[in-house]
Amino acid sequence: MGILLMRRCVLIALLLVCPVLGQRRPLTADEAIKLLEIGVPESDITAVGVRLGGFSPVSLDALDELSLAGASPSFLAQFPKGDDPMAVLKGLAERCDSLSTSSGQTLLAPRKWRAHHVEVGEGAVAWRISPPSSLTARAGVDPALFLFIQDRSSIPIEGAQSVTERLESLLIGRLTASECPSRAGPMGTIRVMGRDVALRRVETSTSHGDGVVAVAFAVLPDGRALGMGYSAPLAQRAACEQHLADLAQSFPVPKVR
């Protein structure tokens, strides 16, 4: 009776306490494993997952751990499969070249694109990455990626969002002033070092047609400030967003001991 009571207490905590605390997010594989290990039935764990908003994507290794914990095939099927690490690496190898900059940073750039160093202030480095055929960097016209790194930034991590907002406002003002009417577009995110960073998109109209300029800004765990983004004609927006996501993977998630 005591074991059954403990199991029910665990379920009550997950079903009632988590939503109250605003932690409504999918059930993770680790949580499911812990519940299986103390003997909670799969049907009850499924009810928890549904109440919390579903089931988190899992890797192949996590599926193996769930199976070892006693999960049935039907229970495993509820967890969406995350990206296969080998498939991700293969995709990067097919799409990207590795570029080594003068500062020793290795960048994942689109195949056959080139990195051009841009002079900035002391303690900062910047590059424009673009196709060989693109000799200029006209906003919203020429496809290009941009990367800026500032060592020992004084900006706190929580201040990154306000910096991104200011960058967006600055872009809109300057583009509009240069007779390219611009406005804020739908905001997205980009994955940088294991966390989602806001990606601000500015939609602009030029004499060559409609285009997009996007910017993201983050403060890395080591204190560096990282700014990145892209410029593209509207027809190449999706491709440049993929290129930017690949470039972001130049900064691997730090290992935690």
Side-chain angles (χ1 to χ4, degrees), residues 180-212:
C180 295
S182 303
R183 60 199 174 278
M187 189 174 69
T189 59
I190 184 171
R191 196 76 173 166
V192 181
M193 298 187 77
R195 60 192 178 94
D196 290 329
V197 174
L199 180 67
R200 297 272 178 167
R201 303 186 185 102
V202 173
E203 299 173 345
T204 185
S205 298
T206 74
S207 58
H208 298 270
D210 294 336
V212 180

Side-chain angles (χ1 to χ4, degrees), residues 101-199:
T101 68
S102 57
S103 64
Q105 175 73 50
T106 299
L107 306 177
L108 293 174
R111 277 288 179 91
K112 298 182 180 180
W113 285 32
R114 299 173 180 171
H116 307 275
H117 182 259
V118 180
E119 292 294 337
V120 289
E122 184 178 353
V125 288
W127 300 273
R128 173 171 61 88
I129 305 170
S130 58
S133 58
S134 180
L135 301 178
T136 59
R138 294 169 294 179
V141 178
D142 300 305
L145 303 179
F146 302 94
L147 178 64
F148 168 87
I149 302 175
Q150 171 74 55
D151 287 335
R152 297 181 298 279
S153 171
S154 60
I155 300 172
I157 291 178
E158 58 272 17
Q161 180 177 342
S162 63
V163 172
T164 310
E165 292 171 355
R166 289 201 296 271
L167 288 172
E168 177 190 59
S169 178
L170 183 63
L171 274 172
I172 292 174
R174 289 194 174 182
L175 288 170
T176 300
S178 62
E179 300 184 354
C180 295
S182 303
R183 60 199 174 278
M187 189 174 69
T189 59
I190 184 171
R191 196 76 173 166
V192 181
M193 298 187 77
R195 60 192 178 94
D196 290 329
V197 174
L199 180 67

Side-chain angles (χ1 to χ4, degrees), residues 12-96:
I12 290 171
L14 287 172
L15 287 170
L16 300 179
V17 178
C18 289
V20 169
L21 294 177
Q23 296 176 354
R24 189 175 180 82
R25 78 291 184 276
L27 187 74
T28 67
D30 284 343
E31 291 167 341
I33 289 170
K34 291 174 183 176
L35 291 173
L36 286 169
E37 288 177 342
I38 64 172
V40 177
E42 289 184 353
S43 59
D44 288 346
I45 301 174
T46 298
V48 171
V50 171
R51 181 69 180 270
L52 293 180
F55 300 83
S56 292
V58 294
S59 65
L60 297 179
D61 289 341
L63 283 178
D64 288 340
E65 292 174 6
L66 278 164
S67 182
L68 289 173
S72 66
S74 60
F75 184 75
L76 294 175
Q78 297 181 99
F79 289 86
K81 310 304 182 292
D83 292 332
D84 183 346
M86 292 305 297
V88 172
L89 290 174
K90 181 180 179 182
L92 287 172
E94 291 174 347
R95 296 191 303 270
C96 302

